[in-house]
Amino acid sequence: MQYFFRRFAFVALLALPMAAPALAQQKLKYPKPEPEQIYDAVAQPAVPIGGVEAYAQYLADNQQYPTAALQRGVAGTVEVTFVVEKSGVISNVAASKPVDPLLDAEAVRLIKGGPKWTPAQHKGQKVRQRVNIPIAFQIPLGAGGPAPATEPATAGTAPAGAPTPAGNTTKSGATIITPDQPARPVGGTEAFFEWIQKNQQYPALARQRKVEGKVMVEFVIQKDGSLTDAKVVKPLGSGLDQEALRLIKTAPKWTPASYQGQPLKQKMVLPVLFQL
């Protein structure tokens, strides 16, 4: 019996050195991440497929400034929060720092329509990650707002006898008048853009190349409400710029801007949207 216990103790002692490395190795293993946990900080963050620069270009090319927000002069940066899933698709998209309902909705649309991502990795495994991206909306210089300034006035632009606001002159001495009533489309802004969409002729080259987006067009609303001096300030190419100019040049008249009851010429910048 003593021999049996001595032999058992010897075998047990031999087994301890063999078990120790196995135990140590088990301690070094990373614990498995929770399958549904959403991480804010990870060892290897998620990145857009194609790279960050390509993703930034996608956002710039596909952003569509809401017309009503543009008309109201609303601008700002919407911060959008979403989750990059382990499959690379995104979910739970929401405006975490909203600015305006229209801008918030456009920012969410941009993110939802974007490319897939390479998922995050943490502790050797793919994990879900929360990502925040700011989407900036900046109104181009001269774009229409609630009461944009008119073009620098030449002789006869400002109403006769109108007072000159202090410090509101250009280097050439021309007066800039802020109208009491800004120019507006006859029938309203929505009717104007409905006319644009109804009469739009999508260029064959742009359709073939699948080019879409917005062309920013600057023009002047004359005292009689006609639209003149149209020029593209943010081109797209593939024939879209020429079509945008044609639409503005043939568009219905506007109700001109006015100051102290007299009509004024006014410069405006508006987007002409092209969508396939």
Side-chain angles (χ1 to χ4, degrees):
M1 181 66 70
Q2 288 181 341
Y3 171 78
F4 173 80
F5 281 115
R6 285 199 302 270
R7 188 169 183 272
F8 176 82
F10 180 72
V11 171
L13 287 173
L14 284 178
L16 281 175
M18 297 175 63
L23 183 61
Q25 184 179 7
Q26 195 172 28
K27 287 182 178 179
L28 288 176
K29 285 185 178 180
Y30 292 119
K32 289 185 178 181
E34 293 293 330
E36 299 304 319
Q37 183 176 350
I38 299 174
Y39 290 79
D40 291 307
V42 292
Q44 186 175 332
V47 292
I49 291 178
V52 175
E53 291 184 3
Y55 190 75
Q57 190 63 48
Y58 156 79
L59 295 176
D61 291 344
N62 291 274
Q63 186 184 92
Q64 299 174 10
Y65 212 119
T67 301
L70 188 65
Q71 289 295 306
R72 289 187 285 113
V74 180
T77 300
V78 180
E79 185 169 301
V80 181
T81 300
F82 56 95
V83 174
V84 179
E85 300 288 348
K86 290 182 282 188
S87 63
V89 301
I90 62 173
S91 65
N92 304 333
V93 185
S96 55
K97 291 185 179 179
V99 173
D100 175 86
L102 293 176
L103 299 188
D104 301 343
E106 171 59 11
V108 168
R109 184 196 69 81
L110 269 175
I111 296 299
K112 285 184 175 180
K116 291 180 67 175
W117 288 55
T118 299
Q121 293 201 27
H122 193 59
K123 298 180 179 178
Q125 296 191 32
K126 293 179 180 179
V127 295
R128 306 170 75 202
Q129 184 190 358
R130 183 179 290 105
V131 177
N132 298 303
I133 289 184
I135 306 293
F137 293 87
Q138 295 179 330
I139 298 177
L141 183 64
T150 60
E151 63 173 340
T154 56
T157 300
T164 303
N168 203 19
T169 58
T170 64
K171 292 181 180 180
S172 63
T175 303
I176 300 177
I177 303 296
T178 300
D180 297 326
Q181 293 292 333
R184 57 193 181 280
V186 174
T189 303
E190 290 188 7
F192 178 76
F193 281 98
E194 284 178 7
W195 183 93
I196 291 287
Q197 292 299 317
K198 182 178 179 180
N199 292 273
Q200 187 180 97
Q201 300 174 12
Y202 217 105
L205 181 59
R207 190 179 296 277
Q208 180 182 358
R209 293 176 175 175
K210 298 183 180 179
V211 179
E212 57 182 353
K214 60 184 177 182
V215 178
M216 300 301 295
V217 182
E218 178 186 281
F219 55 95
V220 175
I221 300 107
Q222 297 293 335
K223 295 179 184 180
D224 64 356
S226 60
L227 311 185
T228 65
D229 304 314
K231 65 178 180 180
V232 173
V233 294
K234 185 180 178 182
L236 274 180
S238 301
L240 297 178
D241 305 335
Q242 292 79 358
E243 174 60 11
L245 288 175
R246 184 192 70 80
L247 286 166
I248 294 298
K249 289 177 180 178
T250 58
K253 286 187 174 184
W254 286 40
T255 300
S258 62
Y259 182 75
Q260 294 187 349
Q262 298 295 320
L264 289 176
K265 291 196 295 183
Q266 182 179 349
K267 185 178 293 183
M268 185 75 69
V269 177
L270 287 179
V272 177
L273 301 179
F274 292 91
Q275 292 180 307
L276 291 171

